[in-house]
Amino acid sequence: MEKSIRTMAQAAREAALKLAASSLEQRNAVLETIAIKLENNRQRILEANAQDVEKATVEGLSAPLLSRLKLTDTKCQRMAEGLRSLAQLPDPLGHVQYAKELSPGLNLYRVACPIGVIGVIFESRPDALVQISSLCLKSGNAVLLKGGREAALTNEVLAELIVEATVECGLPADWCGLLHSREDVQEMLKLHDLIDLIIPRGSNAFVRYIMQNSEIPVLGHADGLCHVYVDESYDPELALKVCVDSKTQNLSVCNAAETLLVHQAIAGDFLPAVAAALKERGVELRGDETVCQLIDCLPANDEDWKTEYLDAILSIKVVGSLQEAIDHINHFGSHHTDSIISTSDEHIAAFMTLVDSADVFANCSTRFADGFLFGFGAEVGIATGKIHARGPMGMEGLCTYKYRLYGSGQTLRELNEGSISLTHAPIAPQLP
């Protein structure tokens, strides 16, 4: 008989307390054991995944989502490598962020600690299950996971291997639980007494639905409507390379470019070159009136500027100034990742300051918006909001803090009477 979602959450809460008290060596040992199990069970994982892909193909899953769903030998090896890379990172727990002497013998420390129990609802990529669970483990959090139904068999195998590795290393198995249905998710959303945070990865509409149907705090990972802006002062070869990579390196990811903005002063020279390169790679182009006069493309409409295609489609707009590009990005974008191509330090500085996105880049591909590439080991997702975490969300985003105050008998009465006084002197950020 399957456990109820409340029972799973209660067990996860108890496990989270034990994880919070575990040593870095214990958590790293689990990560290494999971990596070994992934390598030793690669054929089993790929066979389950092949069944998921076959079923999803019959059901008409779109090509970009099929691409996300499908695992390969290379992806499996990368999952193992990612776990080992994460194990090499410092312990995010116990880090002293602030330290002060309030009064002689009365010392205050702000110390990083786990959030607790986290519910994560994610899309069709089964490797996301490994990334998310490993980050939660390293940061001492328990997690309840709900992946896309199209990856159900693959996720079952991966979750089973993770739990096996945990038990073998002496940590509680219940820190990682797998949900199976929408009904499970609905039950989880009611458990505000047991779950500390919900992280939904999906469309804005999906994230809003979760927020409106739960009292649990929600940290949304929504659309990736990313832009590349090519400035009037630019390096043509660099711009071409970055634009093509931003759009075509992987069509189905949230940090792929969906809109290209080009300054009117260079549009006549640059657009024909970039259009030819993109069409060679099978990209359908949709442009505003000016773009349609310069290259062969379909006319863009208002919906194109606010659409995350996740496909071989790119909308293109000619702008009259840097400020117009910034205004367009801030109005239509999803505050995810946006890049400027420019040789002007002044324009780059303005773009970096004024574009209201989690990631703002200069002269490089939007595809670099990634927790692993940022050195976080992996990511739970890319947060487009501004509260608690923003951008690629690694271990630090899965931690909060508590204040620890160490005294030697001090009372507030003594402070009020003047027998002790406040000093607020800085002290070494090292716990006693």
Side-chain angles (χ1 to χ4, degrees), residues 228 237-253 255-258 260 270 274 277-278 281 283 314 339 341 361 363-369 373:
V228 176
E237 185 177 343
L238 182 153
L240 183 63
K241 181 173 65 170
V242 170
C243 288
V244 170
D245 187 82
S246 294
K247 180 60 207 177
T248 67
Q249 197 277 330
N250 188 335
L251 297 169
S252 63
V253 290
N255 57 15
E258 306 290 15
L260 172 62
F270 181 65
V274 75
L278 290 166
R281 289 162 177 80
V283 179
L314 180 70
S339 184
I341 311 301
F361 297 170
N363 296 319
C364 59
S365 172
T366 59
R367 290 283 288 116
F368 280 101
L373 296 177

Side-chain angles (χ1 to χ4, degrees), residues 16-274:
L17 295 174
K18 295 175 182 176
L19 271 187
S22 66
S23 68
L24 175 63
E25 290 72 24
Q26 284 177 297
R27 283 173 274 133
N28 283 343
V30 178
L31 293 174
E32 173 61 27
T33 305
I34 297 171
I36 293 170
K37 285 187 175 291
L38 291 181
E39 291 169 337
N40 292 343
N41 291 272
R42 183 176 304 182
Q43 193 57 39
R44 181 184 168 200
I45 295 167
L46 292 176
E47 286 174 0
N49 185 249
Q51 293 180 60
D52 282 332
V53 171
E54 182 180 1
K55 182 181 179 185
T57 303
V58 171
E59 293 178 350
L61 192 68
S62 68
L65 291 179
L66 276 174
S67 174
R68 287 188 175 200
L69 173 61
K70 187 174 182 179
L71 288 181
T72 62
D73 281 325
T74 300
K75 283 186 178 180
C76 287
Q77 188 56 42
R78 284 177 182 167
M79 284 193 284
E81 290 171 358
L83 289 162
R84 293 189 171 107
S85 174
L86 183 59
Q88 296 302 311
L89 295 179
D91 193 349
L93 304 181
H95 171 64
V96 178
Q97 304 170 344
Y98 174 95
K100 273 203 173 172
E101 175 194 84
L102 302 189
S103 184
L106 186 63
N107 295 333
L108 178 68
Y109 304 86
R110 186 170 73 204
V111 185
C113 64
I115 290 174
V117 181
I118 300 172
V120 185
I121 310 161
F122 60 99
E123 71 290 354
S124 58
R125 286 195 305 121
D127 49 333
L129 184 147
V130 176
Q131 292 177 355
I132 294 166
S133 60
S134 62
L135 284 169
C136 289
L137 172 67
K138 178 91 176 195
S139 56
N141 292 285
V143 63
L144 298 181
L145 297 152
K146 172 61 175 72
R149 65 181 182 85
E150 60 274 17
L153 296 177
T154 315
N155 287 341
E156 285 280 0
V157 174
L158 293 173
E160 182 182 321
L161 295 174
I162 289 167
V163 170
E164 284 179 7
T166 305
V167 172
E168 288 178 16
C169 294
L171 287 178
D174 293 322
W175 75 271
C176 181
L178 187 63
L179 309 187
H180 297 92
S181 67
R182 290 183 179 180
E183 290 73 26
D184 289 350
V185 172
Q186 295 300 326
E187 285 301 309
M188 179 174 71
L189 296 180
K190 299 174 186 176
L191 302 179
H192 59 272
D193 57 324
L194 294 172
I195 297 174
D196 299 290
L197 181 68
I198 298 288
I199 302 177
R201 292 172 35 151
S203 68
N204 279 324
F206 172 67
V207 173
R208 283 196 301 271
Y209 173 82
I210 298 297
M211 289 177 171
Q212 292 164 2
N213 287 273
S214 183
E215 297 179 32
I216 304 169
V218 176
L219 186 62
H221 293 237
D223 294 351
L225 211 171
C226 304
H227 299 75
V228 176
Y229 165 61
V230 183
D231 194 26
E232 59 184 315
S233 54
Y234 78 117
D235 178 327
E237 185 177 343
L238 182 153
L240 183 63
K241 181 173 65 170
V242 170
C243 288
V244 170
D245 187 82
S246 294
K247 180 60 207 177
T248 67
Q249 197 277 330
N250 188 335
L251 297 169
S252 63
V253 290
C254 63
N255 57 15
E258 306 290 15
T259 298
L260 172 62
L261 304 174
V262 180
H263 194 283
Q264 63 184 10
I266 55 97
D269 293 326
F270 181 65
L271 280 178
V274 75

Side-chain angles (χ1 to χ4, degrees), residues 383-399:
T384 52
K386 300 182 182 181
I387 304 300
H388 177 69
R390 197 178 194 195
M393 186 174 169
M395 291 185 295
E396 289 184 2
L398 293 174
C399 293

